[in-house]
Amino acid sequence: MIDEKIYPKLAEDVLGSLDVQEGDAVLISGGTHEQKFLEEIGIAVAKRGGQPFITAVSNDYQKRLLDTCTVQQLKKMPKIMMGVVQAMDAYVIVEPYSDPSIKKHFREKLQARSEGNFPVMQIIYGKPGKRWLYMGWATDGMARMYNVPLSELEKLVIGGCLIDYGILKEDCEHVMRVLHNAKYVHVTDPHGTDFRLDIEGRRLNPDDGVLTPEKVAVGDLGGNLPAGEVFVAPVETYGSGTIYCPLTIDDLTRGTIIKGVRLKFKDGTLLPDECTAEHNQEVLRDTLHKMTELDKEKYGAENALKVAELGIGLNPVIDRAIGYILTDEKIGGSVHVAFGRSDMYGGNVSSNMHWDFVTAPDVTLEVEYRDGKKKLMMKDGQLLR
């Protein structure tokens, strides 16, 4: 059970990640299982002279809604939500499901809801976009789904928020210095990961827990808590190799764990028929298929298959993968590659999907610069100085 005494500190971290100012209208969304914390954020916003608006529903309500609504109903744009996001200045969502496993039973309906919510998502994550933050949480239901003790989940999620942000900022700056003027990155590990990406000329983005005017100026408006990575949108037409991801979660429902994923990609494009998994391979391939078809309908292209992100994990507390991508991608010594949307942080691809695949925490990462010189950034999961 998360100690309510730390709520004010966590709420201030949320406001720092959103740079809440006097007069800002802030939508605060989540589940009733975290109602007190959502209200703590609201009070913190009000103290800064902002205008909080809180919306929270129960896990049971969300399940009943998915049970009740038809696919055609869910495909319709939510008019009230459209009005809210147009009016807001910033948006924070705290993990809305106390038991995300219920979503695995509603694959078709969740795909329909994703389609219906598309115009809303464009306002938040498109251009010019809104300031946004996604924050993790820890519940008994989540612990059961990820098959970890609740205390371990709290350590990863809440402990991952209660870090020294000054040290994290220094680590992010170090990684960005090493990547400055880089042309290629080459990532390998003992488990079969071996790929190259081109990041020449692409914006480097530090997820260090603080939204600064400099980030806003370049359109970097979003973040996570826990924070802890540097990420970049690679060149979409280059990049080939294999990624081994020990553990992930289905991107369509965020309710089904997939294990032992091995992805193949070429020329910046995922090869779905060559992607395998040791457990729930059919879910992996079905989600890639569904999101690709949705992108073909929306954009006329299979954008979900395009390489979207290279991320380097730097959180000092998060040390193991459980399938919760929000924390897994911050593991020190790991990298992650995403496929799908990249236009929110310097890429050129719009998509209904952004699926991160995190390596084991023992990668070696070599940087090749424009002048042909090379440098090791990480060796066997250790960040080199």
Side-chain angles (χ1 to χ4, degrees):
M1 192 73 173
I2 299 171
D3 187 353
E4 294 182 16
K5 292 179 181 177
I6 65 173
Y7 283 7
K9 168 65 170 62
L10 290 174
E12 284 302 315
D13 290 342
V14 167
L15 268 59
S17 295
L18 288 168
D19 190 28
V20 173
Q21 303 291 328
E22 184 174 357
D24 280 345
V26 183
L27 173 61
I28 304 162
S29 178
T32 52
H33 56 280
E34 59 217 1
Q35 182 73 35
K36 287 187 177 180
F37 178 60
L38 300 178
E39 292 174 3
E40 192 68 45
I41 298 172
I43 295 299
V45 169
K47 285 180 177 178
R48 290 200 185 185
Q51 302 171 16
F53 180 79
I54 298 174
T55 173
V57 296
S58 69
N59 207 78
D60 182 60
Y61 173 79
Q62 296 190 81
K63 182 178 183 298
R64 291 177 62 196
L65 198 64
L66 288 167
D67 267 327
T68 302
C69 291
T70 66
V71 167
Q72 290 306 314
Q73 286 175 319
L74 291 166
K75 281 185 177 180
K76 293 180 180 178
M77 181 191 71
K79 293 188 289 186
I80 291 177
M81 190 62 179
M82 177 65 84
V84 171
V85 298
Q86 287 173 333
M88 74 185 185
D89 297 298
Y91 174 47
V92 54
I93 180 168
V94 185
E95 187 65 52
Y97 288 87
S98 61
D99 182 4
S101 68
I102 65 166
K103 295 186 289 179
K104 66 184 177 183
H105 305 296
F106 299 101
R107 293 182 60 78
E108 186 180 8
K109 288 187 175 182
L110 287 167
Q111 182 184 11
R113 189 165 73 179
S114 177
E115 185 175 344
N117 280 333
F118 177 77
V120 174
M121 297 299 101
Q122 284 296 92
I123 292 174
I124 300 172
Y125 305 114
K127 296 178 181 179
K130 304 281 186 172
R131 285 172 280 149
W132 61 269
L133 174 75
Y134 196 104
M135 182 175 181
W137 204 246
T139 67
D140 286 320
M142 293 175 66
R144 285 193 300 272
M145 190 183 82
Y146 293 116
N147 195 30
V148 294
L150 180 58
S151 59
E152 179 71 11
L153 183 62
E154 287 187 14
K155 174 206 159 193
L156 296 171
V157 179
I158 305 304
C161 294
L162 300 174
I163 60 173
D164 186 325
Y165 286 96
I167 293 176
L168 177 59
K169 184 174 185 293
E170 290 175 3
D171 287 343
C172 287
E173 289 174 346
H174 167 71
V175 168
M176 292 174 69
R177 283 193 298 270
V178 177
L179 291 177
H180 181 65
N181 284 330
K183 172 66 175 172
Y184 301 114
V185 293
H186 181 203
V187 178
T188 58
D189 71 18
H191 317 287
T193 294
D194 188 347
F195 66 85
R196 279 168 61 89
L197 293 171
D198 183 347
I199 64 169
E200 183 176 18
R202 292 302 176 94
R203 190 175 86 211
L204 302 174
N205 305 278
D207 178 31
D208 55 11
V210 179
L211 184 61
T212 63
E214 291 77 16
K215 291 183 182 179
V216 173
V218 297
D220 182 8
L221 303 179
N224 295 152
L225 283 178
E229 63 172 296
V230 170
F231 59 100
V232 58
V235 175
E236 295 84 3
T237 55
Y238 181 90
S240 300
T242 301
I243 303 160
Y244 176 71
C245 170
L247 204 59
T248 189
I249 195 164
D250 169 36
D251 191 67
L252 178 60
T253 66
R254 297 292 172 111
T256 302
I257 298 293
I258 306 171
K259 297 179 181 179
V261 176
R262 202 170 296 275
L263 305 177
K264 304 279 188 179
F265 67 107
K266 183 178 180 181
D267 299 327
T269 303
L270 201 60
L271 305 173
D273 292 340
E274 297 184 36
C275 296
T276 63
E278 296 165 11
H279 180 67
N280 280 329
Q281 176 176 292
E282 70 284 358
V283 176
L284 170 72
R285 290 187 172 180
D286 185 60
T287 291
L288 291 175
H289 172 73
K290 282 183 166 59
M291 300 311 281
T292 300
E293 289 302 307
L294 190 55
D295 278 0
K296 284 168 65 177
E297 180 182 331
K298 292 291 184 183
Y299 303 107
E302 298 179 336
N303 289 354
L305 303 181
K306 299 305 294 182
V307 66
E309 178 189 1
L310 170 72
I312 298 161
L314 294 169
N315 190 291
V317 170
I318 301 171
D319 58 2
R320 61 169 291 193
I322 60 172
Y324 193 22
I325 293 177
L326 187 70
T327 57
D328 290 2
E329 67 179 4
K330 312 302 192 314
I331 299 170
S334 73
V335 304
H336 52 278
V337 177
F339 293 88
R341 186 167 194 170
S342 64
D343 59 351
M344 317 97 80
Y345 49 85
N348 297 316
V349 176
S350 297
S351 173
N352 285 270
M353 188 179 92
H354 179 92
W355 193 347
D356 295 279
F357 294 91
V358 186
T359 69
D362 53 1
V363 300
T364 294
L365 189 155
E366 183 180 59
V367 181
E368 182 177 337
Y369 297 96
R370 295 170 181 172
D371 61 6
K373 293 180 180 178
K374 297 180 180 181
K375 181 175 183 176
L376 278 182
M377 173 189 286
M378 297 175 69
K379 177 68 174 174
D380 300 328
Q382 297 299 311
L383 187 64
L384 305 179
R385 295 285 185 177

